[in-house]
Amino acid sequence: MAAGKGTRMKSQLPKVLHLLAGRALLRHVVDTAAQLAARQVVVITGHGADQVEASLVSMAPSADEASVALPIQCVRQEPQLGTGHAVQQALPLLADDALVLVLSGDVPLTRADTLRQLIAASQASDTNNSKDSGRLALLTLDMADPTGYGRIVREGEAVQAIVEHKDATPEQRAQLREVYSGIMAVPARWLKIWLARLDNRNAQGEYYLTDIVKFAVADGVSVVAHKISAAVEVAGVNSPVQLAELERAFQQRTALELMEQGVRLADPARLDVRGQLNCAQDVSIDVNCVFEGRVRLGEGVKIGAHCVIANCVIEAGAVVHPFTHIDGEKLGVTVGEGALIGPFARLRPGAQLGAQVHIGNFVEVKNSTLARGAKANHLAYLGDATVGERVNYGAGSITANYDGANKHRTVIEADVHVGSNCVLIAPITLGAGGTVGGGSTVTKDTPPGALTVARGKQVTVANWTRPQKKPK
Ligand code: UD1
Ligand code: CA
């Protein structure tokens, strides 16, 4: 269900498209369905339907390797007449032999394992049920303050109904602490029969999905409540505050998983993973780092404080010093074994750094390959460059790779030494083992092994007196 308005978000963006850990809320739910190997996903849209449906096109298949591509279909619910009415819109797409799992697009943190247990509860063989056609399984939990939620009404142990808060008697409101989470598993065959019987004669004038519980009881189909204790798994997002709370819950969960794998986090409360972070053994991460997209950290990698790292592979033993920004976007970034990066380095898409490369403070690298042992330690720019082994690239030097219309490559062969503050005007090749004197603006290829200097000659005027101010 993703048709709701989300008024309290006070946003132009449909609620289910707000991001949690870099993924739309709805995408979390779809990815969870994918983990369950669902046969199909039907998304019920309404408010912001065009935008929500467009977003789903880019959602399948998921970036998550564990999940498989699954067909996603959308149905529209216009107007929104309640949760039962919402699910009615999906019925024509559901096969009779299907088991339907009803999820909300604004409840992102339900664990696949919890849903597997719910599904198991709906399928457990039932000696009392001669019809043996599956059960209605409700995901429930006890709440200290159940205000606003549908209450589970039992007779003895047996679930009889769900009564919505607004329809509940004062006694029910005061006594019933077990609430319906909004998630159920129900055989499609029964769902079709029961939804046809819904009416909207209730406090809200809505078609309640929850009314099917009493129809199940009337038809002799058992209703089971699978009770969980982790409220965060069924918590919905209605406001920016709740979104931030669930973001923290998600990040805490991620941090715990990483630490269980052996990753050393300086402070699990100061880590943000918005994508997939894979770590080999003995990785350590200092405070306030943000990881986005797909990031892989090799054995023994150390990440300093305040780094933002997206879409890259950092090989074993590399050290990324504080305040470094790495973003591989589509081309990716590779940092080779034992490389030293930062502090304050910037690696952009297509930066491919070999083993033992050093990139120091205020150095920017874009779409460039640096071979083993190359160094650019201070205040430099390497764009569209191919840099050979052991090259030393001096402070303040830049590749002038852009002529205002096209990008050109700079090739710096092995063992070249580029002095400080050089401008290398591409396209250009600096021959192996050559040296470029500091302050040179190099416009022509340089031969191997030679010293090239391209700057104004130093002139000295002896006994020079500076001009004096004239008296008024
Ligand atoms: C619902 C349950 C309630 C449960 C609670 C848990 C009903 C009648 N009540 O109440 O028992 O305790 O969830 O959070 O089901 N939606 C639509 N179309 C609609 C109405 C809602 O798509 O016409 C979507 C909403 O966007 C949301 C979900 O369904 O994702 C639940 O709707 P909401 O209005 O939050 O249900 P509640 O009244 O909170
Ligand atoms: Ca709700």
Side-chain angles (χ1 to χ4, degrees), residues 43-58:
V43 179
I44 302 156
T45 60
H47 280 284
D50 289 335
Q51 233 179 317
V52 174
E53 288 166 16
S55 82
L56 283 164
V57 175
S58 61

Side-chain angles (χ1 to χ4, degrees), residues 20-23 247-248 250-251 254-255 258 263-280 283-298 301-314 318-329 335:
L20 184 139
R23 264 187 299 169
E247 176 79 34
R248 282 308 101 206
F250 179 94
Q251 295 302 343
T254 307
L258 288 168
V263 177
R264 261 97 73 197
L265 300 177
D267 182 356
R270 284 183 286 170
L271 170 79
D272 286 83
V273 180
R274 303 171 190 155
Q276 267 184 293
L277 174 60
N278 293 313
C279 296
V283 164
S284 68
I285 301 172
D286 210 335
V287 299
N288 290 336
C289 291
V290 178
F291 296 90
E292 295 175 336
R294 284 162 175 255
V295 175
R296 189 154 59 76
L297 305 182
V301 163
K302 288 186 170 57
I303 307 292
H306 307 282
C307 290
V308 176
I309 298 180
N311 300 303
C312 78
V313 174
I314 300 181
V319 177
V320 178
H321 291 294
F323 297 100
T324 290
H325 185 200
I326 302 178
D327 186 359
E329 272 182 62
V335 174

Side-chain angles (χ1 to χ4, degrees), residues 111-134:
R111 285 182 188 273
D113 263 344
T114 300
L115 296 175
R116 281 188 198 103
Q117 288 159 15
L118 182 72
I119 290 167
S122 78
Q123 288 171 335
S125 75
D126 186 346
T127 45
N128 297 330
N129 183 359
S130 55
K131 290 173 184 139
D132 198 25
S133 51

Side-chain angles (χ1 to χ4, degrees), residues 1-5 15-16 44 77 79-86 103-107 148-151 162-164 179-182 204 206-210 234 238:
M1 295 185 289
K5 191 165 185 187
K15 177 166 75 171
V16 294
I44 302 156
Q77 186 204 13
Q80 286 82 44
L81 303 179
T83 51
H85 178 251
L103 304 166
S104 291
D106 58 356
V107 178
Y149 289 89
R151 310 296 209 284
I162 296 173
V163 57
E164 291 302 311
V179 306
Y180 170 54
S181 66
Q204 300 183 78
E206 285 182 10
Y207 295 89
Y208 291 164
L209 176 62
T210 43
V234 294
N238 297 301

